[in-house]
Amino acid sequence: MGISGSDAAGTTIGEASEREALRRIFPRLPESDATLVGPGDDAAVLAAPDGRFVVTTDMMVHGPDFRLAWSGPEDLGWKAAATNLSDIAAMGAVPTALVVAIAAPPETPVAWLEGVADGFRLACTELAPGCGVVGGDLSVSATLTFAVTAFGDLGGRRPVLRSGARPGDVVAVSGALGRAAAGLHALFTEAVDAAGEPDASRLAAVVAAHPDTVSAQLRPRPPIGDGPLAADAGATAMLDLSDGLALDARRVAEASGVAIDLDPAALGPDLRTALTGGEDHGLLATFPPGTRLPGGFRTIGAVHEGRGLRVGGRPFDERGGWDPYLEWDGRRG
């Protein structure tokens, strides 16, 4: 499924110069409150009042990460922003700026890239006000690819690492569990043709039947503001739930040298999807006992002496999540 659409002049990126494409995209991008020198120079200059900055990067590639049959340009701009904003929040920082690189097929309409820019603006406005796009790069490729780098300000807080969980801590999560995976399952079972290939003509019906879960997959809404709140409340460890609760909770346990025991009753009726479904982009954190949980955090388990992941007191040895090197089969995004 290729990129479709056209603008008034029918101009594609293969016909327009990079300068012309950027001229049209720049006005649509969100501005950053931290910008001292913005897009248009060799590099941006950002204010860092804390004296430190948090930085992360993430890629989205057509095929393993999204399908053009299901995701429009605004969806993709939104998701590319959200997945990076959540990593910044997971360190306890406030997102300040994004750098965006896009490689797209030459037949891509410039208007389609404008839609992507609109998606970035909408996501930043809703999820992280004051964060904006301060630069990036455009190129051509047979495979549509996004590479986004995000920056954040700790505001005097200590960074919350994966390695600080301690026995006795409470395990808590902010955001839904398994909802994005349920949306992806609906797309792959109901928005496909007879051969099992993604079918755009079926999308509207699937969205109407599963609005919450499909939206969670195509336009995730991570609880960005809860990251700094968790840091202020004394969170001992935290990370973004991008690859599945079981896999990500095990990462915290391994980094901290502890055992994490998740309570099945707290994970909802579809336990397996909650444990193994990825792309929720909620926040998993541990807090000292007795902490009043901030924001949307709720208790889902506890930290104990030992090693590894347990569910209801029993070892959970399945990988339980997404690893692009070990199990890519094209069935993501």
Side-chain angles (χ1 to χ4, degrees):
M1 183 72 180
I3 297 172
S4 61
S6 62
D7 58 11
T11 306
T12 68
I13 64 172
E15 297 166 339
S17 66
E18 182 182 24
R19 179 179 180 182
E20 172 61 16
L22 290 173
R23 182 190 68 78
R24 290 174 51 174
I25 292 170
F26 279 163
R28 310 178 88 94
L29 294 173
E31 296 183 357
S32 166
D33 291 347
T35 301
L36 300 178
V37 177
D41 224 303
D42 287 336
V45 180
L46 303 176
D50 181 82
R52 304 166 296 171
F53 63 89
V54 176
V55 61
T56 186
T57 192
D58 193 45
M59 295 179 67
M60 291 195 341
V61 181
H62 182 249
D65 296 312
F66 63 89
R67 299 300 176 93
L68 287 167
W70 299 331
S71 296
E74 282 190 8
D75 297 326
L76 293 174
W78 179 293
K79 189 168 185 176
T83 56
N84 281 272
L85 296 172
S86 61
D87 281 331
I88 294 295
M91 299 297 290
V94 175
T96 56
L98 303 173
V99 176
V100 180
I102 304 173
E107 65 271 18
T108 303
V110 176
W112 191 92
L113 289 181
E114 290 180 305
V116 171
D118 289 341
F120 274 97
R121 185 185 69 253
L122 292 169
C124 288
T125 297
E126 179 171 330
L127 303 175
C131 180
V133 176
V134 298
D137 191 29
L138 296 178
S139 188
V140 293
S141 171
T143 302
L144 179 62
T145 302
F146 295 79
V148 179
T149 299
F151 300 86
D153 180 11
L154 287 164
R157 305 174 191 87
R158 64 173 183 83
V160 185
L161 310 181
R162 300 179 181 185
S163 55
R166 301 167 300 199
D169 283 352
V170 171
V171 179
V173 68
S174 177
L177 293 173
R179 189 171 293 175
L184 186 61
H185 176 75
L187 291 169
F188 267 112
T189 55
E190 302 176 36
V192 293
D193 60 22
E197 293 299 316
D199 186 348
S201 67
R202 300 171 186 260
L203 179 61
V206 177
V207 171
H210 311 279
D212 293 338
T213 59
V214 172
S215 176
Q217 169 60 223
L218 301 183
R219 292 201 188 197
R221 286 173 166 77
I224 305 301
D226 280 357
L229 290 179
D232 290 340
T236 53
M238 185 159 54
L239 88 172
D240 159 54
L241 286 173
S242 57
D243 295 324
L245 174 61
L247 182 59
D248 287 329
R250 187 179 292 110
R251 287 169 171 158
V252 174
E254 291 176 350
S256 301
V258 297
I260 285 182
D261 190 6
L262 301 176
D263 178 4
L267 301 182
D270 190 346
L271 178 60
R272 182 159 190 82
T273 300
L275 283 170
T276 64
E279 298 189 290
D280 286 314
H281 298 290
L283 297 173
L284 179 71
T286 58
F287 295 89
T291 300
R292 182 176 181 179
L293 298 183
F297 279 98
R298 61 191 185 277
T299 301
I300 61 167
V303 181
H304 300 289
E305 297 279 359
R307 295 289 187 274
L309 178 65
R310 305 169 190 166
V311 178
R314 298 181 178 181
F316 188 88
D317 297 326
E318 296 179 43
R319 186 165 61 249
W322 168 262
D323 185 320
Y325 285 102
L326 296 179
E327 57 186 353
W328 182 77
D329 61 1
R331 293 177 65 83
R332 184 174 183 178

